[in-house]
Amino acid sequence: MADAMKMRATMQGDTADVKVLMNHIMETGLRKDAKTGQLIPAHFINSVVAAVNGKTVLEAQWGAAVAKNPFLGFRVKGAKAGDKITINAVDNKGEKLSGETTVA
Amino acid sequence: MNYLRRTFLRGTGAAGTVAIAIAAGLLKPGQVLAAEWNKVAFDATTTADAMKGLNVAGAVESKDILIKAPDIAENGAVVPVEVTSKIPGTTSIMIFVDKNQNPLIADFEFSNGAEGFVSTRIKMASTSHVKVAVKAGGKAYTASKEVKVTIGGCGG
């Protein structure tokens, strides 16, 4: 998926402030299609892993109730400018999304 | 497929709803997952059950958990929530919405210097308490904040 994520990481004192915006429909599986009356199957990111220079800092499990095009913000103490931050996400259909940025 | 299905069921302690698990693509051989998705907790229909599934039942109220969320959310489909845990040694933050069909929204686990802070946006079906549970040093803590929702964001 192209442009699956937008990321920004900035230093705030000795802490890196990371913001991630993912491009995903986050379908709950509870909504009905207005035309057919059928339930729209669930399709949502359920696993997100963030790493700094390859070291995992955050592991998240999500349900379908994270808002559409999910936003995630977190802070990492001890990170430095130039550190590489990677995010890997997997949805309930096994589709993968990933993003990468360097701390500014 | 059967063997993998067994593994999955054993791993999560879930019974039934295997079709969902298969559709979820969790069972592909060779796929490395960080941690198995806690289906029991995410499928729970009450906050208490979800908390049980995450081993945070009986969490103690704490004033050191700050929840930043709007008092009134006009659109329940996008409710910004920011959680800061000032409890030393915070290892995970979980977010619940009591009145949602499945109250558990997300579970965040921190390691290697990540602080007890998380910011995200959630869906809320109706006016409800947003509940947060924090694990720190092997103990569980909790806090909650009411958010009034004008238009629900789940179902339709």
Side-chain angles (χ1 to χ4, degrees):
Chain A
M1 242 193 272
D3 274 350
M5 287 188 200
K6 274 186 198 166
M7 292 173 65
R8 184 184 294 166
T10 50
M11 288 307 291
Q12 310 273 346
D14 62 345
T15 306
D17 187 35
V18 186
K19 293 188 170 82
V20 189
L21 199 55
M22 300 174 208
N23 212 341
H24 202 282
I25 186 158
M26 296 303 282
E27 193 60 64
T28 58
L30 305 173
R31 287 194 322 140
K32 275 185 183 155
D33 190 306
K35 280 184 196 144
T36 62
Q38 298 288 308
L39 279 177
I40 303 170
H43 187 198
F44 57 96
I45 294 174
N46 57 16
S47 157
V48 181
V49 177
V52 177
N53 292 337
K55 251 173 128 184
T56 301
V57 291
L58 173 72
E59 281 177 50
Q61 293 190 2
W62 285 358
V66 172
K68 185 177 175 180
N69 295 333
F71 169 78
L72 169 67
F74 60 97
R75 291 174 186 156
V76 186
K77 210 175 176 134
K80 300 178 296 295
D83 282 357
K84 197 155 101 180
I85 299 192
T86 47
I87 308 269
N88 283 297
V90 184
D91 69 20
N92 65 336
K93 293 184 179 172
E95 286 167 17
K96 288 176 186 165
L97 298 86
S98 61
E100 173 180 306
T101 190
T102 43
V103 181
Chain B
M1 210 61 196
N2 250 331
Y3 167 70
L4 288 161
R5 184 171 76 181
R6 283 298 120 208
T7 312
F8 178 81
L9 288 178
R10 201 167 50 227
T12 59
T17 53
V18 171
I20 294 172
I22 292 168
L26 290 169
L27 306 178
K28 278 183 198 147
Q31 187 179 14
V32 182
L33 282 172
E36 270 188 279
W37 198 61
N38 195 332
K39 194 165 163 38
V40 177
F42 277 103
D43 279 351
T45 50
T46 64
T47 305
D49 283 350
M51 287 178 84
K52 236 182 264 167
L54 289 160
N55 297 322
V56 289
V60 189
E61 291 268 338
S62 169
K63 286 201 174 76
D64 290 327
I65 303 169
L66 307 178
I67 305 172
K68 205 168 123 189
D71 293 326
I72 297 171
E74 265 180 40
N75 183 357
V78 187
V79 183
V81 176
E82 218 175 272
V83 182
T84 311
S85 165
K86 290 186 173 170
I87 303 165
T90 295
T91 53
S92 62
I93 290 179
M94 289 142 267
I95 303 174
F96 309 86
V97 173
D98 285 352
K99 297 258 178 75
N100 272 14
Q101 185 152 346
N102 302 116
L104 178 58
I105 308 274
D107 172 12
F108 301 90
E109 315 246 331
F110 307 103
S111 51
N112 292 322
E115 295 195 333
F117 164 87
V118 74
S119 166
T120 188
R121 297 191 300 218
I122 64 173
K123 291 175 201 161
M124 292 179 67
S126 63
T127 297
S128 168
H129 274 93
V130 174
K131 196 164 189 172
V132 171
V134 167
K135 270 189 213 165
K139 283 189 184 153
Y141 304 89
T142 179
S144 70
K145 176 184 179 10
E146 189 179 36
V147 176
K148 289 200 165 69
V149 174
T150 323
I151 306 165
C154 285

